[in-house]
């Protein structure tokens, strides 16, 4: 399908069985549940999916299971790697397994001094030229330790096979810079659940939001009420959503997100080492936040 980057996409966690093996059945069931709740699409092997800890064949197995479970919605796979060669190989594997687009975080191991705009432009153009599926840029300064520049994104947005960007900076100025490149063929999505409504008001067409996987109805409500012009209702939904994004996603990380999955009846399970699961006190914090938001019983 021609990927349509609009609405709310869930970057799902990667579920592991006891012992550390991939649980593709749980990923498939989670995807079905989230699409039934009104989400637009699914992202596998993103940051929330512990992408750096996955083997390449696990990424493909995860994608194939999700693709089969939700055949009628867009599914993206994280393909970013430190080498251009490996990134291209991952885009081709993603395409063969049924991905609609490739979410491509920038190479960042060597830092901003080496990963100049010229180096990044050459990398992304080579990937986009070789990729059988559209490429979505991914800027996440928290993990990259630099951000894609607005001028670089502007140039890349002109490539026929680069169709959008996920901005997880949480910086309104950076988002505004990317929005300057948005057009019919290039879409800006936010990756920050706490700023979802403000990003929509600024012009973003949706979000790839970790919080949407355990609070899908709230994310859908923010978008729906915004589109309908119901400002008060949109603000109320965002006010309920914000603590779930800030306290669980931003502060507790992947282990917190997995604990939230478990609490709402999805399969979260353990993280993969060297990450550490939440202690009981952290799980209690997650459950209290979800209860306050009305997502758990008393």
């Amino acid at each position: 399908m021609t990927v349509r980057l609009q609405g709310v996409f869930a970057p799902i966690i990667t579920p592991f069985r006891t012992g550390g093996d991939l649980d593709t059945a749980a990923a498939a069931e989670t995807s079905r549940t989230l699409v039934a709740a009104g989400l637009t699409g699914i992202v596998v092997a993103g940051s929330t999916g512990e992408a750096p800890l996955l083997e390449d064949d696990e990424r493909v197995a995860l994608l194939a299971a999700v693709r089969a479970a939700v055949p009628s919605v867009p599914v993206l796979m994280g393909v970013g790697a430190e080498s251009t060669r490996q990134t291209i190989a991952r885009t081709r594997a993603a395409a063969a397994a049924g991905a609609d687009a490739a979410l491509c975080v920038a190479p960042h191991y060597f830092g901003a001094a080496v990963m100049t705009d010229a180096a990044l432009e050459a990398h992304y153009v080579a990937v986009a030229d070789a990729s059988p599926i559209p490429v979505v840029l991914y800027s996440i300064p928290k993990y990259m330790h630099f951000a894609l520049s607005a001028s670089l994104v502007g140039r890349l947005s002109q490539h026929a096979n680069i169709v959008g960007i996920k901005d997880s900076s949480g910086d309104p100025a950076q988002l505004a810079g990317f929005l300057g490149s948005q057009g019919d063929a290039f879409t800006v999505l936010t990756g920050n659940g706490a700023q979802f409504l403000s990003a929509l008001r600024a012009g973003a067409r949706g979000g790839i939001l970790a919080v949407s996987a355990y609070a899908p109805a709230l994310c859908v409500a923010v978008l729906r009420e915004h589109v309908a012009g119901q400002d008060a209702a949109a603000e109320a939904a965002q006010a309920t959503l914000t603590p779930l994004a800030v306290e669980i996603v931003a502060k507790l990380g992947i282990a917190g997100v997995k604990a939230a999955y478990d609490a709402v009846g999805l399969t979260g399970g353990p993280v993969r080492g060297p990450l550490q699961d939440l202690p009981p006190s952290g799980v209690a914090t997650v459950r209290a936040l979800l209860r306050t938001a009305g997502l758990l019983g008393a």
Side-chain angles (χ1 to χ4, degrees):
M1 67 173 68
T2 300
V3 67
R4 187 176 183 217
L5 295 178
Q6 186 170 320
V8 182
F9 290 72
I12 62 171
I13 60 97
T14 298
F16 301 111
R17 301 182 189 278
T18 302
D21 290 338
L22 196 66
D23 186 349
T24 55
E29 182 57 31
T30 291
S31 299
R32 282 190 289 265
T33 299
L34 296 176
V35 170
L39 297 193
T40 302
I42 303 294
V43 178
V44 301
S47 300
T48 307
E50 298 175 75
L53 311 182
L54 298 179
E55 298 168 12
D56 279 359
D57 61 346
E58 290 179 317
R59 292 177 186 242
V60 172
L62 185 65
L63 170 63
V66 170
R67 173 78 288 165
V70 288
S72 61
V73 303
V75 178
L76 283 60
M77 187 178 99
V79 301
E82 289 305 312
S83 78
T84 304
R85 179 186 178 94
Q86 186 178 18
T87 306
I88 290 171
R90 285 179 177 172
T91 65
R92 290 172 173 164
D100 296 293
L103 181 65
C104 192
V105 70
H108 48 274
Y109 178 86
F110 292 104
V114 173
M115 300 316 303
T116 61
D117 276 11
L120 291 169
E121 185 169 3
H123 168 77
Y124 274 120
V125 167
V127 171
D129 283 348
S131 177
I133 52 178
V135 172
V136 179
L137 309 175
Y138 182 15
S139 184
I140 181 165
K142 177 180 179 180
Y143 297 139
M144 291 164 46
H145 306 295
F146 61 84
L148 298 183
S149 71
S151 58
L152 170 63
V153 171
R155 293 191 298 275
L156 292 174
S157 71
Q158 301 303 305
H159 193 291
N161 204 33
I162 297 177
V163 298
I165 184 170
K166 176 187 178 184
D167 170 39
S168 291
S169 68
D171 182 341
Q174 286 187 31
L175 178 68
F178 298 150
L179 284 166
S181 299
Q182 185 163 255
D184 291 344
F186 188 82
T187 290
V188 177
L189 301 174
T190 181
N192 190 299
Q195 297 179 15
F196 187 34
L197 181 57
S198 61
L200 293 173
R201 286 174 169 169
R205 292 177 178 150
I208 300 176
L209 308 174
V211 68
S212 72
Y214 55 88
L218 280 173
C219 294
V220 170
V222 172
L223 179 60
R224 181 185 65 244
E225 301 301 346
H226 166 72
V227 170
Q230 300 297 317
D231 291 346
E235 289 168 3
Q238 181 65 63
T240 304
L241 182 67
T242 294
L244 302 181
V246 172
E247 301 297 329
I248 297 177
V249 178
K251 292 187 179 179
L252 297 178
I254 294 166
V257 174
K258 286 193 162 183
Y261 272 53
D262 288 329
V264 300
L266 300 172
T267 300
V271 295
R272 176 170 278 181
L275 301 183
Q276 296 287 296
D277 294 323
L278 287 188
S281 60
V283 174
T285 295
V286 168
R287 293 185 65 86
L289 287 162
L290 293 169
R291 189 173 295 111
T292 299
L295 302 183
L296 293 184

